[in-house]
Amino acid sequence: MWKTILRRLLIMIPEIIILSILVFILSKQLPGDPFTGSINPKASMGQIHHLMKINGLYDPWYQQYWNWVVHLFHGDLGNSYEYQEPVTAIIGSRAVNTFWLALLTMIMTYAIGLPMGLYAGRHEGKLQDALVRIYSYATMSIPFFVVLVIGGWIFGYDLNLFPTSGSVSPNATGFLPVLLSKFYHMILPATLGALFATSSITQYLRSGVIDAKNSNYVKTAQAKGVSMKNIYKHHIMRNAMLPIAAFAGYSITGLLGGSLFTEQIFSYPGMGLLFLNAVNFRDYTVMTALVLLYGFLSLLGTLLSDVALSVIDPRIRVE
Amino acid sequence: MQNVKADDKDLKKLEAEARANSTPSSFKLMFNEFKSDKMAMISLILVVAFILYVMIASFFINQSSMMSTNIMNYFAKPFTPDFWLGADAGGRSIAKQMVVGSRNSILIAIGLTVISSAFGIAYGLISGYFGGITDLAMQRVYDFMMIIPAFMIIIEIVNIIPHYNVISLTLLLSMFYWMGTSRLIRAQTLSESNKDYVQASKASGTSTLKIIFKQIMPNVSSLIIVDTTISFAENIGVETGLSYLGFGLPVGTPSLGTLIANANDADNITTYWWTWLPATIEIILLCLAISYIGAVLRRSTNATQRRSTK
């Protein structure tokens, strides 16, 4: 098992290095420089050139890359062009919001997906199963952002049940009201995100239950006279659910990808919205840092899932 | 002479019998599945008719006059003779934008599907056929592509390219959406290349390219058709999603995504619903219909789920 983890980690290293080089080169291709308009609007071209030179921006790319990596290891991703603050501080404040929204979405996904998958698997081939299948099929076909737009319109604007922007109400003061207000702001985007993300969990669990139902250990338990209720509780559920738990890591990638849309539609101040604003304001340092962070997180998510899967099911151990 | 004729006749008869008894080809199976499922047939006809309609109708629309603003028609209400679906803040007809926008979105989705599927299929076939070191190396590239935050990188690149259009956007997107197909084809090729016919072909000295593309590929063709159909529905989402965020087609070129982006404005979403709702409904129906067709195709390739008998 440790060998598997070690091997995965070793594979990760070149992946991160290549991703960072790619991100770095892309950021160098972006038009603009970090100084124009930032130090003093009246600064002359000569002064800017001088600054570029002092800061090593005319050095060959590998030297610049090396400097950038050294700074990266010191937690320094440069300053935002737009806010004139360290990038790490800006991202840090937004990352908290994205983290909570992603966590709630994941909880909701499992809360909706698990019962549905179990229910469908248990009633395989019947009407209940067909209904769940139609639902999964519909959520898999319709693009994510369309679901968010329609959901936001119906429940946010039309029925006015949920807020449609921000992460906390400006009127909320005190610990508990702020907490509740934050939760209230997250419910709609998290639920819509979860409704969309359940289909894969549901399908996976459904086939897991069906497989388990036909397995020998269930037949043995049945022959020994264990009630169906107990068989489901102790045998089928446990075996069908373990791999599902391991999928949490993979869903991180999906959640991050979806955060661009969720946060845009609900004007939710997280990393996705920060990225879109950074693109519009050509705030390249922030853009670059976020792309790298998203890539790193999805790598971490994949690693977690792979390791968890190999722990749970030795058959899937990565060769 | 007489004998030869009789032999010919016998041969034809035998062939016909053999054909009647053989398992039908995958195309035939797919066709039969559509014949037995009315919903699927209706979906197929509607999707094809709709695509043809927007392709042809967009020829009759003068795009530059369509996209020019006309304050007099500011938010014209829908269901009027001049504006069937109303007008947006610039007084531009939503119905006309829908036609041209659908054409652009569908064309990009088709281009993206063709290019990324072709690449993914070739990648999967080669990776699965050669196995060993080649497969290992190619799968590392696959792993790497999977961790890239594709949408963000695409948005960055769109900002770097000074002048991009439908073609460059399609090529750019294709670079990031071939992985699913490649994985699927690879898995199938791995099992296919262990079969006797491939081994026999190898032993008799058939060229590798011929084995891969002339012998294995036809055997995974039904999988390819199913995957391509489903990718098509997904790819409509990719382009419209990007355009929705404002990084798809350049300003002034309508797409379904830019129409839905009208919903980003609180006034539009509540009061002027016609500026974004029709495009939203269109995407939902189109994607549902296309993936339904994909589901039926998949069912036809899976003997246990098939509805039609032969």
Side-chain angles (χ1 to χ4, degrees):
Chain A
M1 222 262 301
W2 290 108
K3 237 171 128 185
T4 312
I5 298 177
L6 194 71
R7 198 181 293 142
R8 284 291 312 179
L9 283 172
L10 285 178
I11 293 173
M12 253 177 89
I13 295 168
E15 283 180 353
I16 293 187
I17 294 174
I18 296 173
L19 180 69
S20 69
I21 293 179
L22 182 77
V23 169
F24 181 80
I25 291 177
L26 277 181
S27 76
K28 289 287 144 188
Q29 298 301 315
L30 289 162
D33 67 76
F35 303 110
T36 305
S38 70
I39 18 165
N40 172 358
K42 287 177 193 144
S44 71
M45 279 312 276
Q47 282 168 306
I48 287 172
H49 279 302
H50 181 64
L51 274 170
M52 297 273 282
K53 206 167 177 181
I54 301 177
N55 285 283
L57 291 170
Y58 291 128
D59 292 344
W61 75 268
Y62 48 87
Q63 207 170 336
Q64 287 193 44
Y65 173 70
W66 180 248
N67 290 336
W68 182 69
V69 171
V70 171
H71 279 109
L72 191 72
F73 272 101
H74 288 95
D76 177 15
L77 288 161
N79 276 348
S80 148
Y81 298 180
E82 188 195 350
Y83 302 97
Q84 291 304 312
E85 271 179 70
V87 170
T88 39
I90 297 168
I91 292 181
S93 63
R94 300 294 194 95
V96 183
N97 287 338
T98 298
F99 170 77
W100 287 117
L101 182 59
L103 187 71
L104 188 64
T105 310
M106 207 185 272
I107 293 172
M108 299 287 279
T109 307
Y110 281 84
I112 300 169
L114 291 186
M116 260 188 358
L118 284 173
Y119 193 67
R122 197 167 178 165
H123 301 275
E124 183 198 356
K126 293 188 196 142
L127 179 71
Q128 295 98 318
D129 184 27
L131 287 176
V132 171
R133 272 230 305 280
I134 290 172
Y135 168 81
S136 326
Y137 150 76
T139 51
M140 268 200 284
S141 321
I142 304 169
F144 181 46
F145 75 101
V146 175
V147 176
L148 291 173
V149 169
I150 293 273
W153 173 53
I154 296 175
F155 298 104
Y157 287 98
D158 205 44
L159 300 176
N160 211 0
L161 290 173
F162 296 100
T164 49
S165 73
S167 69
V168 62
S169 155
N171 307 325
T173 46
F175 179 72
L176 197 65
V178 168
L179 194 73
L180 284 175
S181 165
K182 285 202 171 203
F183 184 65
Y184 185 45
H185 277 77
M186 288 192 298
I187 294 178
L188 185 59
T191 312
L192 292 173
L195 286 176
F196 190 81
T198 45
S199 57
S200 57
I201 288 185
T202 308
Q203 289 305 313
Y204 201 86
L205 193 59
R206 176 182 172 272
S207 54
V209 169
I210 293 172
D211 281 350
K213 246 182 5 189
N214 299 322
S215 66
N216 286 329
Y217 63 82
V218 167
K219 282 178 188 151
T220 314
Q222 255 177 319
K224 276 160 66 182
V226 183
S227 73
M228 262 336 257
K229 201 179 151 196
N230 276 332
I231 291 181
Y232 268 102
K233 207 167 146 194
H234 295 293
H235 297 285
I236 295 182
M237 264 195 30
R238 197 164 296 174
N239 279 292
M241 269 186 22
L242 283 176
I244 296 285
F247 273 97
Y250 290 129
S251 57
I252 290 179
T253 317
L255 283 174
L256 286 174
S259 73
L260 289 180
F261 292 106
T262 320
E263 294 177 7
Q264 160 80 13
I265 290 163
F266 291 97
S267 313
Y268 183 82
M271 292 194 291
L273 195 61
L274 180 65
F275 176 78
L276 293 173
N277 285 337
V279 176
N280 288 328
F281 283 98
R282 317 222 154 222
D283 197 349
Y284 301 126
T285 38
V286 174
M287 273 168 83
T288 310
L290 281 171
V291 175
L292 197 62
L293 183 66
Y294 271 51
F296 181 71
L297 288 175
S298 72
L299 191 61
L300 213 63
T302 319
L303 176 76
L304 281 178
S305 272
D306 284 350
V307 171
L309 273 176
S310 72
V311 171
I312 291 164
D313 188 347
R315 285 172 304 180
I316 319 181
R317 242 163 242 181
V318 190
E319 280 308 317
Chain B
M1 217 40 200
Q2 200 78 29
N3 259 346
V4 174
K5 254 187 182 166
D7 278 353
D8 258 3
K9 228 184 208 168
D10 283 349
L11 200 64
K12 270 185 189 145
K13 207 175 130 199
L14 280 174
E15 269 178 3
E17 264 174 31
R19 221 177 292 135
N21 288 326
S22 68
T23 37
S25 72
S26 43
F27 291 98
K28 182 101 191 184
L29 282 176
M30 285 175 180
F31 180 71
N32 286 342
E33 195 64 32
F34 275 99
K35 263 204 327 208
S36 68
D37 187 341
K38 273 216 183 80
M39 265 282 282
M41 203 62 163
I42 294 170
S43 302
L44 185 66
I45 292 170
L46 281 182
V47 167
V48 172
F50 180 74
I51 292 176
L52 283 177
Y53 166 72
V54 294
M55 296 294 156
I56 295 166
S58 58
F59 277 116
F60 298 98
I61 292 174
N62 182 338
Q63 278 196 55
S64 53
S65 78
M66 174 191 86
M67 291 310 286
S68 63
T69 43
N70 184 353
I71 297 299
M72 294 305 287
N73 301 323
Y74 173 83
F75 284 125
K77 286 225 158 60
F79 313 118
T80 51
D82 276 348
F83 296 98
W84 295 347
L85 291 172
D88 63 9
R92 296 174 288 238
S93 159
I94 295 290
K96 283 182 185 170
Q97 287 189 64
M98 287 262 288
V99 171
V100 178
S102 304
R103 184 202 59 187
N104 290 341
S105 292
I106 289 173
L107 274 182
I108 291 182
I110 291 177
L112 174 56
T113 310
V114 169
I115 299 172
S116 64
S117 293
F119 185 76
I121 291 164
Y123 200 89
L125 280 168
I126 292 170
S127 182
Y129 177 76
F130 288 106
I133 278 282
T134 315
D135 184 41
L136 203 71
M138 288 176 89
Q139 288 315 301
R140 287 291 82 74
V141 175
Y142 165 90
D143 284 345
F144 178 69
M145 290 306 290
M146 289 302 288
I147 59 141
I148 285 188
F151 239 77
M152 297 172 108
I153 298 267
I154 291 170
I155 290 174
E156 271 206 13
I157 297 177
V158 164
N159 269 278
I160 294 171
I161 306 174
H163 302 289
Y164 61 94
N165 52 28
V166 174
I167 295 170
S168 47
L169 187 68
T170 311
L171 288 173
L172 174 63
L173 292 174
S174 306
M175 282 167 61
F176 294 93
Y177 291 97
W178 52 269
M179 289 85 81
T181 307
S182 84
R183 192 63 153 197
L184 197 72
I185 301 295
R186 172 181 171 265
Q188 191 67 28
T189 310
L190 275 176
S191 75
E192 204 68 27
S193 53
N194 287 327
K195 287 190 181 160
D196 287 344
Y197 76 91
V198 176
Q199 299 301 333
S201 216
K202 259 189 209 170
S204 63
T206 316
S207 77
T208 314
L209 278 180
K210 205 172 168 189
I211 298 180
I212 295 179
F213 291 102
K214 285 238 165 118
Q215 300 180 342
I216 297 181
M217 201 160 94
N219 279 309
V220 295
S221 63
S222 50
L223 193 69
I224 291 175
I225 294 170
V226 175
D227 179 67
T228 312
T229 315
I230 292 169
S231 306
F232 180 45
E234 281 169 6
N235 290 339
I236 292 179
V238 170
E239 187 279 325
T240 51
L242 202 61
S243 298
Y244 171 80
L245 291 177
F247 304 104
L249 290 173
V251 186
T253 315
S255 117
L256 289 176
T258 49
L259 279 169
I260 299 177
N262 283 329
N264 276 336
D265 188 288
D267 267 350
N268 283 351
I269 205 168
T270 47
T271 321
Y272 309 112
W273 52 267
W274 59 85
T275 54
W276 61 275
L277 193 60
T280 313
I281 294 172
E282 185 196 317
I283 284 202
I284 293 179
L285 293 179
L286 195 62
C287 288
L288 279 177
I290 296 172
S291 9
Y292 187 69
I293 295 170
V296 173
L297 288 176
R298 183 183 306 169
R299 201 167 59 210
S300 73
T301 60
N302 188 340
T304 51
Q305 291 181 357
R306 217 175 283 147
R307 281 194 193 176
S308 60
T309 50
K310 258 192 200 176

